[in-house]
Amino acid sequence: MSLADSHPRPEGPGRGRPRSEAVERSIIEGVIRLLEEGVPLAELSIERIARTAGVGKATIYRRWNGKEELFVDVVRAAEPPDPELPGTSVRDDLVTLLEQLRQRGLMTRSSVLMHNVIAQMKSSPKIWDAYHSIVVEPRRRTQHAILLRGQEGGELRTDIDVDVLNDMIFGPMLVRAVMRPDADLPEGLSEQMVDAVLEGLRPVSSRTP
């Protein structure tokens, strides 16, 4: 299965002729092929992408407004899909999300493509902003919803702002997975981190004396 197959593009309002999933995959895979060959992001023109994918420029513009929007979809295709949350407890949902971060860290370290994609994306503020809007912010909203549920259900302290809670829980894994490429990401790390943080975030009345 190709990277494009692993994370299909969300449906949106149609423009022009109906979309063809095969055509979209060929375009995304064309960008991936160019990145794998070491082509800098600045040189990935729509014309060059179209030539590599074997389509016309109009075909690309019917699906994406420009290179920035297309590149965000390429990054989404290169990432693991969002996990299905068990919904059994706040702890289980948090472990699932942290495990996704751990796996993404391992993938980035082992994949030259993923490493180059992220590096090139960071060099373009416009693409980085689009990535945050389309990918990061929806995930953060999911995290906030879980933490709010934990507060409302009495599993988490209510005297700490949800945004602070989010950083306390997800920040350590992000540091190890993204900012410390030398740090180990062993199995069981997600459970260890969640349990350690939740111990201090439980309401005082529910703590073991």
Side-chain angles (χ1 to χ4, degrees):
M1 183 172 64
S2 70
L3 289 174
D5 288 325
S6 67
H7 200 125
R9 187 169 186 258
E11 290 298 325
R15 297 172 58 195
R17 288 180 290 182
R19 287 196 175 103
S20 164
E21 291 184 5
V23 170
E24 291 193 2
R25 283 198 301 271
S26 69
I27 294 168
I28 289 176
E29 288 172 353
V31 177
I32 289 172
R33 194 178 317 129
L34 290 168
L35 291 170
E36 287 176 329
E37 293 171 357
V39 179
L41 178 59
E43 297 179 17
L44 285 179
S45 65
I46 292 296
E47 181 177 2
R48 185 168 187 176
I49 294 169
R51 187 168 61 249
T52 301
V55 300
K57 289 194 296 183
T59 300
I60 295 178
Y61 282 118
R62 276 196 294 269
R63 291 160 173 80
W64 294 278
N65 290 323
K67 184 176 70 173
E68 290 82 8
E69 186 178 302
L70 168 56
F71 195 73
V72 170
D73 273 357
V74 171
V75 176
R76 289 176 63 91
E79 290 189 342
D82 291 339
E84 182 176 347
L85 299 177
T88 50
S89 69
V90 169
R91 177 192 180 276
D92 290 345
D93 285 353
L94 292 177
V95 167
T96 298
L97 292 178
L98 272 188
E99 182 62 16
Q100 181 196 39
L101 287 177
R102 188 182 77 87
Q103 293 290 342
R104 186 181 297 117
L106 291 171
M107 175 180 288
T108 302
R109 294 178 188 184
S110 62
S111 170
V112 174
L113 168 64
M114 190 66 179
H115 179 79
N116 289 340
V117 164
I118 292 177
Q120 294 196 45
M121 181 174 63
K122 287 182 178 179
S123 69
S124 173
K126 187 174 182 180
I127 294 177
W128 186 246
D129 289 344
Y131 176 73
H132 266 260
S133 175
I134 296 171
V135 178
V136 176
E137 289 179 8
R139 287 175 177 166
R140 195 168 178 86
R141 286 196 295 269
T142 297
Q143 295 163 2
H144 279 204
I146 293 171
L147 296 173
L148 283 172
R149 194 180 83 226
Q151 288 183 327
E152 294 167 356
E155 296 180 72
L156 298 174
R157 292 168 54 177
T158 58
D159 61 328
I160 301 178
D161 182 78
V162 172
D163 200 50
V164 175
L165 288 177
N166 192 91
D167 291 343
M168 291 173 65
I169 293 172
F170 293 95
M173 185 66 82
L174 283 170
V175 168
R176 292 184 73 91
V178 178
M179 299 178 66
R180 289 190 55 202
D182 61 319
D184 290 335
L185 294 171
E187 291 188 15
L189 180 61
S190 300
E191 290 86 349
Q192 180 183 353
M193 284 186 169
V194 169
D195 289 339
V197 177
L198 289 185
E199 181 62 31
L201 293 179
R202 290 177 186 156
V204 176
S205 60
S206 68
R207 294 181 187 177
T208 303

